[in-house]
Amino acid sequence: MPLHDVGYRSWEGAKTWLGSRWLVVTTTGIKLAFRSSWLSRALVLSWLPALILGVLFFFYEQSITVPDYRRPISGLVAASGSSSEIVRAALQNPGEVRHEVWSSLLLVFFRYPQGILMIILMGIIAPRLIAHDLRNRGYLLYFSRPIRVSGYVAGKALILWTFLAMITTVPALVLYVIGLSLSPDLNVIWSTWDLPLRILLASLVLMIPLSSVALACSAMTIETRYAAFSWFAIWVVGWTAYSVLRIGELAGRSGPRRRGRGMPEIVEQSSWELLSPFHVLGRAQQYVFGLYPDDKAIWPYGLVLVLVTVFSLWFVSSRVQARLRA
Amino acid sequence: MVEPPESKIIELDQVTKVYGGWRTALDAVSLTVGPGITGLLGPNGSGKSTMIKSLLGLLKFQSGTSRVLGLQIPDQNRQIRDVVGYLPEDDCFIAGLSGIESIRFMAELSGMQPAEALRRGHEALDFADIHQERYRNVETYSTGMRQKLKFAQAIVHDPQLLILDEPTTGLDPEQRTLMLRKIKNLSQKHGKSILISTHILHDVRTVCDQVVIMAHGKIRLVDSLENLSRPAQAGMLVGVNEGTDKTVDDPYPEARQLVEQLAAQGTRAEIKDRGYVWVFDVTAERSQLIWDAAEAAGIHIGFLSSAKNSLEEIFFHTVKEAQHATA
């Protein structure tokens, strides 16, 4: 018996707003996720690319006043997939194409280091989010309280959003601030004012479909290892299918191959990309950063992302509701 | 004693729930449950769990209306769950959390501020007899510990109504007695209304004020335990100390001798379950004639009380009637 056992006591106190209770699912989920040592390591690792890009931002801004930096920087700009006009301008007058260069660097940051890290991070966090509740019937406890299935799903999704923001949005915004503070030119604010908004939009384009698919994988099974396997399989199978079909497409093309400069996935486009979630997300982000060559041709990618998101959320909700009905 | 806020705690009116368009789980159920402790009895598949889930708004029913604590289902589902504590029958927990973290989490879901939820969580765990184990991960808990943890989460937000689905499952006899005592305490001293769904008739007899028996998706019987216990015919129940000369053909020789002795004296009696003797038309004031008969037959009486109906008999009789009606 406890030293100060007071027996049962009534409780009267102010309660939080009914509509905000699902946020408790998020806060508790974040605390739980942080108990994984792998997650902490992945988070530390995810900031390394931001440091490297920070150095690039510094040298690019310095190249406006120090011409010696222009040649290596223009090479890096070319490697980021920018058009030859931008590369040429970066070599001659970097201040004129600042917006395009910053956008390209941010896109590379979102697409490659963070894109791959985010797949790994989601593979660590997401599988257990719903699978554990289904296995241990935790949903009975959640729904004995005043939260809806939509609130439950939103609470779980917000856990993933938080971590995705920690490895994409926050470092990208920090990069932007670094760029601003290191620039010798005051015009930098005027010429790049929209980039924070584009970073937020690119983050949303990334977070919403990704978290939905990750939760769908978790809701598919009560075994977290199968959920993790299905999550990684989606990316690997999609990428492989695209690569194989793309190689076939290029091999069957008559005449000499056009050799694009920079990252081939960014420069060249193929309808087989729709099979690969990584490439679909890449195109959507390219559009958000204003680097997509044909604005009208983006709709298939947008449609795929919307359909995948809607289907995933419907699947998660129906799986949880089916358990409640059982 | 705290007065309950509503005289009608649960009201169901012609509630029907059909699964998959063919399996009727609740068949035009109408029921009113008042304050106190109500035992919900019924065989497996009788619709108890469906009714409980419907009361919490977890299941949508096809027709009928229902209210819990004056709140309408389904329009005020979330408000209902805010003032109702639910102990699920299934073994359930939130993986990765310790006992205290689980309770704190549930308290926060019920609208308590984090610090208050932690304080209240400790109080609820104290009441549920979970001591230092509260700092252990719930996945390491035994079945009994998890049962107590479920009880703690059901009461942490001080609900007006408690819905307890098999609350004593997995508890050892001592813990079971303690749990029943706590349930009774919550009702009698703190004015909580409690609905207990159970298969254990002893639990119902120990704590419940009224009994609801369900079978085949319908309410078959609603009455107070006092009324149900009252036999149709007055009598005394006698338990005799058994000897060692019992046989398969004559399992209760001492009880048989007492019945024969009473019959010789002109008093009707018969042997009931487990060798108890029901002496008809004899009240406590006239119980001396039973002592006399026992002395004459050379039998020692171990137990003597006014006869009551057995809840087991009532339950089996009600369910059997329901089966005949359905057939």
Side-chain angles (χ1 to χ4, degrees), chain A residues 69-89:
Chain A
Y69 292 160
R70 288 182 189 175
R71 187 157 294 282
I73 285 295
S74 65
L76 286 168
V77 170
S80 72
S82 300
S83 67
S84 53
E85 291 80 22
I86 295 173
V87 177
R88 206 174 303 122

Side-chain angles (χ1 to χ4, degrees), chain B residues 10 15 25 29 49 57 88 129 141 151 175 183 213 225 233 240 243 249 273 279 305 317:
Chain B
I10 295 169
V15 170
V29 167
S49 294
D129 284 333
Y141 280 19
F151 181 65
Q175 293 294 335
I183 291 170
I213 298 179
L225 197 64
Q233 198 173 5
V240 295
D249 295 331
D273 291 344
V279 186
S305 89
H317 179 70

Side-chain angles (χ1 to χ4, degrees), chain A residues 15 21 137-148 152 324, chain B residues 52-53 55-58 77-88 92 94 105-107 109-110 150 153-157 159 161 163:
Chain A
K15 287 188 171 183
R21 305 276 177 88
R137 299 184 188 87
Y139 55 86
L140 285 171
L141 299 174
Y142 284 101
F143 297 113
S144 70
R145 296 305 200 264
I147 59 166
R148 297 192 177 104
Y152 170 78
L324 281 175
Chain B
I52 287 174
K53 284 184 177 174
L55 290 174
L56 291 165
L58 300 177
N77 276 349
R78 287 198 296 165
Q79 285 86 344
I80 290 171
R81 281 185 245 156
D82 213 16
V83 290
V84 172
Y86 172 49
L87 184 152
C92 53
I94 297 181
F105 172 64
M106 296 306 289
L109 278 182
S110 289
K150 284 194 287 178
Q153 67 80 26
I155 58 169
V156 71
H157 55 304
L161 168 65
I163 298 178

Side-chain angles (χ1 to χ4, degrees), chain B:
Chain B
M1 179 170 156
V2 182
E3 283 301 316
E6 294 279 338
S7 59
K8 289 178 180 174
I9 304 299
I10 295 169
E11 295 170 82
L12 299 175
D13 185 21
Q14 296 293 310
V15 170
T16 298
K17 170 69 189 172
V18 182
Y19 286 110
W22 59 276
R23 194 169 73 83
T24 306
L26 296 178
D27 188 2
V29 167
S30 294
L31 172 71
T32 302
V33 173
I37 307 179
T38 303
L40 180 61
L41 295 171
N44 290 334
S46 58
K48 302 190 300 290
S49 294
T50 301
M51 192 170 100
I52 287 174
K53 284 184 177 174
S54 299
L55 290 174
L56 291 165
L58 300 177
L59 287 179
K60 287 178 186 166
F61 39 81
Q62 275 77 11
S63 62
T65 56
S66 62
R67 295 164 79 89
V68 174
L69 296 163
L71 299 163
Q72 191 80 38
I73 299 172
D75 301 340
Q76 294 172 296
N77 276 349
R78 287 198 296 165
Q79 285 86 344
I80 290 171
R81 281 185 245 156
D82 213 16
V83 290
V84 172
Y86 172 49
L87 184 152
E89 178 190 4
D90 302 277
D91 181 25
C92 53
F93 58 90
I94 297 181
L97 297 176
S98 65
I100 181 62
E101 286 169 336
S102 293
I103 301 299
R104 179 188 178 171
F105 172 64
M106 296 306 289
E108 283 186 55
L109 278 182
S110 289
M112 289 185 194
Q113 298 293 343
E116 183 64 3
L118 182 63
R119 189 195 64 76
R120 178 73 188 171
H122 280 293
E123 250 179 46
L125 287 170
D126 285 345
F127 186 70
D129 284 333
I130 296 181
H131 307 297
Q132 292 308 306
E133 307 87 353
R134 70 186 61 178
Y135 300 107
R136 258 171 40 202
N137 192 308
V138 290
E139 280 147 288
T140 66
Y141 280 19
S142 65
T143 312
M145 291 292 291
R146 282 190 194 152
Q147 195 67 12
K148 290 196 270 185
L149 190 73
K150 284 194 287 178
F151 181 65
Q153 67 80 26
I155 58 169
V156 71
H157 55 304
D158 191 30
Q160 294 169 40
L161 168 65
L162 273 166
I163 298 178
L164 310 176
D165 203 349
E166 303 285 356
T168 55
T169 303
L171 298 177
D172 61 46
E174 189 192 348
Q175 293 294 335
R176 204 172 107 186
T177 308
L178 285 172
M179 173 69 88
L180 293 174
R181 206 174 287 163
K182 288 180 209 300
I183 291 170
K184 207 160 191 172
N185 173 300
L186 285 171
S187 171
Q188 290 179 343
K189 294 192 177 161
H190 301 279
K192 305 292 173 204
S193 298
I194 300 169
L195 178 70
I196 300 179
S197 168
T198 181
H199 287 105
I200 305 169
L201 299 176
H202 170 264
D203 292 357
V204 174
R205 242 190 338 259
T206 308
V207 296
C208 291
D209 304 314
Q210 69 168 336
V211 176
V212 176
I213 298 179
M214 286 187 82
H216 298 283
K218 286 190 173 190
I219 302 291
R220 303 293 173 171
L221 187 145
V222 183
D223 209 338
S224 68
L225 197 64
E226 195 183 340
N227 281 344
L228 289 174
S229 303
R230 197 174 295 142
Q233 198 173 5
M236 298 292 287
L237 200 63
V238 185
V240 295
N241 291 347
E242 291 171 13
T244 53
D245 50 349
K246 57 172 77 172
T247 62
V248 176
D249 295 331
D250 189 12
Y252 308 113
E254 290 79 12
R256 181 182 48 74
Q257 284 174 41
L258 180 62
V259 170
E260 286 168 2
Q261 184 62 40
L262 285 164
Q265 292 177 3
T267 305
R268 195 161 66 88
E270 65 180 53
I271 302 172
K272 301 292 246 183
D273 291 344
R274 287 175 287 167
Y276 283 101
V277 176
W278 191 314
V279 186
F280 294 99
D281 299 320
V282 175
T283 55
E285 292 76 32
R286 292 181 57 227
S287 60
Q288 186 57 44
L289 70 90
I290 297 172
W291 292 107
D292 293 343
E295 192 179 355
I299 290 163
H300 297 287
I301 291 178
F303 169 86
L304 180 68
S305 89
S306 297
K308 289 177 180 174
N309 272 339
S310 141
L311 191 57
E312 282 85 350
E313 279 179 15
I314 294 166
F315 176 74
F316 291 126
H317 179 70
T318 309
V319 171
K320 204 172 274 180
E321 267 188 358
Q323 280 169 345
H324 284 308
T326 311

Side-chain angles (χ1 to χ4, degrees), chain A residues 158-303:
Chain A
L158 200 55
I159 298 170
L160 299 179
W161 288 22
T162 307
F163 285 105
L164 286 176
M166 283 163 88
I167 65 163
T168 55
T169 321
V170 178
L173 287 172
V174 168
L175 267 180
Y176 175 75
V177 174
I178 289 172
L180 285 187
S181 53
L182 295 180
S183 175
D185 185 3
L186 272 178
N187 278 334
V188 68
I189 298 170
W190 177 247
S191 60
T192 60
W193 66 270
D194 62 325
L195 283 181
L197 299 176
R198 288 180 192 272
I199 289 170
L200 291 176
L201 198 59
S203 303
L204 286 179
V205 165
L206 196 74
M207 287 171 185
I208 296 172
L210 227 70
S211 56
S212 309
V213 173
L215 289 181
C217 290
S218 181
M220 201 161 50
T221 171
I222 58 169
E223 292 288 345
T224 51
R225 56 195 162 152
Y226 297 145
F229 176 79
S230 59
W231 167 255
F232 288 116
I234 286 171
W235 299 94
V236 173
V237 170
W239 190 310
T240 310
Y242 161 71
S243 302
V244 169
L245 292 165
R246 178 73 174 145
I247 288 166
E249 189 181 50
L250 289 174
R253 187 186 283 175
S254 58
R257 249 177 72 186
R258 186 178 69 82
R259 290 183 67 84
R261 297 185 71 188
M263 311 270 180
E265 291 85 359
I266 293 179
V267 176
E268 297 184 22
Q269 189 172 349
S270 161
S271 53
W272 296 120
E273 284 176 351
L274 293 171
L275 294 175
S276 168
F278 186 80
H279 291 84
V280 172
L281 278 172
R283 288 296 174 199
Q285 285 174 326
Q286 202 180 348
Y287 175 75
V288 169
F289 280 110
L291 299 169
Y292 194 73
D294 182 6
D295 285 356
K296 285 179 185 168
I298 194 68
W299 70 267
Y301 298 94
L303 186 66

